[in-house]
Amino acid sequence: AQTVTQSQPEMSVQEAETVTLSCTYDTSENNYYLFWYKQPPSRQMILVIRQEAYKQQNATENRFSVNFQKAAKSFSLKISDSQLGDTAMYFCAFDLNTDKLIFGTGTRLQVFP
Amino acid sequence: KAGVTQTPRYLIKTRGQQVTLSCSPISGHRSVSWYQQTPGQGLQFLFEYFSETQRNKGNFPGRFSGRQFSNSRSEMNVSTLELGDSALYLCASRKELNTEAFFGQGTRLTVV
């Protein structure tokens, strides 16, 4: 069975600092997609960053970047220059090319001024 | 461009009743997926529809059903509600396979 594990239930970081959220997953498939979603108190899930498993280059999106280690089945999210608006739940998810997202349990990130 | 719209935003129902939730995808998106979010179980996939056909289904009892209309709007129905069905129900739409899923703000269902 495919699973996603986020081992950090809560994290905190000071404004302008850098924080890394961890994610590991388990699948025997070779072709899949990985995502980080953000869910602020408004509840709406927002895509932060996306990585295709066949691409070796790590995805980046402004202050957000990933460290994708396919052999280790690891997909961590680095947030640089943290901002107060980054405070949210962050979910790691993957998709086996089926339009079915499998989510981790989430990491609650608090950014302090 | 309007986002994914879910109605209603909040709902309170009594055990044993049934409920219908609605999701209007982004214009041009033909895939609609439904997820249940609870503190205990996290985010779980319910089902996915594409062009009025259910393509994928999660591990939920038959009390949970859905459908998609020709305009891509989707509804999900839960019959014989149980207390454990209390959750945030999220809908997501995609233009095509493996593209970004855009989520609605969800419907908060409380079963009393």
Side-chain angles (χ1 to χ4, degrees):
Chain A
Q2 290 83 19
T3 58
V4 178
T5 302
Q6 292 180 250
S7 58
Q8 306 152 315
E10 294 185 2
M11 294 279 285
S12 61
V13 63
Q14 196 146 25
E15 205 174 3
E17 297 295 308
T18 296
V19 64
T20 299
L21 308 184
S22 302
C23 173
T24 58
Y25 58 94
D26 188 23
T27 181
S28 56
E29 301 294 327
N30 197 46
N31 186 25
Y32 49 88
Y33 296 79
L34 293 160
F35 307 87
W36 277 98
Y37 277 90
K38 166 185 176 181
Q39 188 178 39
S42 67
R43 305 180 331 204
Q44 187 156 17
M45 299 281 275
I46 301 163
L47 180 66
V48 174
I49 200 163
R50 175 175 184 259
Q51 172 85 41
E52 291 91 344
Y54 62 85
K55 287 187 178 178
Q56 291 188 330
Q57 187 173 5
N58 289 325
T60 63
E61 200 67 49
N62 301 315
R63 298 182 294 107
F64 300 87
S65 62
V66 298
N67 183 3
F68 173 47
Q69 302 288 328
K70 191 171 184 179
K73 297 180 182 174
S74 169
F75 183 60
S76 61
L77 174 70
K78 185 170 86 170
I79 306 174
S80 304
D81 186 26
S82 296
Q83 300 175 0
L84 296 177
D86 295 334
T87 292
M89 281 289 288
Y90 285 82
F91 292 95
C92 177
F94 81 99
D95 181 343
L96 292 174
N97 212 28
T98 60
D99 273 348
K100 171 185 173 179
L101 286 166
I102 299 170
F103 286 91
T105 51
T107 296
R108 185 177 302 279
L109 177 67
Q110 180 73 51
V111 180
F112 291 97
Chain B
K1 191 173 181 181
V4 178
T5 304
Q6 290 189 246
T7 56
R9 292 287 307 278
Y10 301 90
L11 207 47
I12 300 175
K13 288 286 187 179
T14 304
R15 268 184 305 175
Q17 287 187 312
Q18 75 164 17
V19 68
T20 299
L21 311 182
S22 179
C23 172
S24 293
I26 291 172
S27 178
H29 287 197
R30 293 191 292 168
S31 168
V32 174
S33 302
W34 289 88
Y35 294 84
Q36 182 196 63
Q37 186 176 19
T38 60
Q41 300 297 317
L43 280 148
Q44 293 187 289
F45 172 79
L46 279 155
F47 27 65
E48 186 253 347
Y49 288 88
F50 183 86
S51 292
E52 302 179 67
T53 301
Q54 187 182 86
R55 289 196 304 190
N56 220 333
K57 190 176 190 306
N59 296 323
F60 278 82
R63 300 185 297 106
F64 291 81
S65 63
R67 59 178 175 169
Q68 186 179 34
F69 302 95
S70 58
N71 61 358
S72 293
R73 188 177 71 86
S74 177
E75 289 181 346
M76 69 162 276
N77 184 277
V78 188
S79 62
T80 320
L81 283 165
E82 300 177 0
L83 295 179
D85 297 334
S86 294
L88 178 66
Y89 289 88
L90 292 167
C91 163
S93 77
R94 297 190 197 211
K95 192 169 185 180
E96 21 183 81
L97 193 65
N98 296 323
T99 57
E100 179 181 350
F102 291 85
F103 283 82
Q105 288 192 285
T107 294
R108 171 77 66 189
L109 172 65
T110 302
V111 182
V112 298

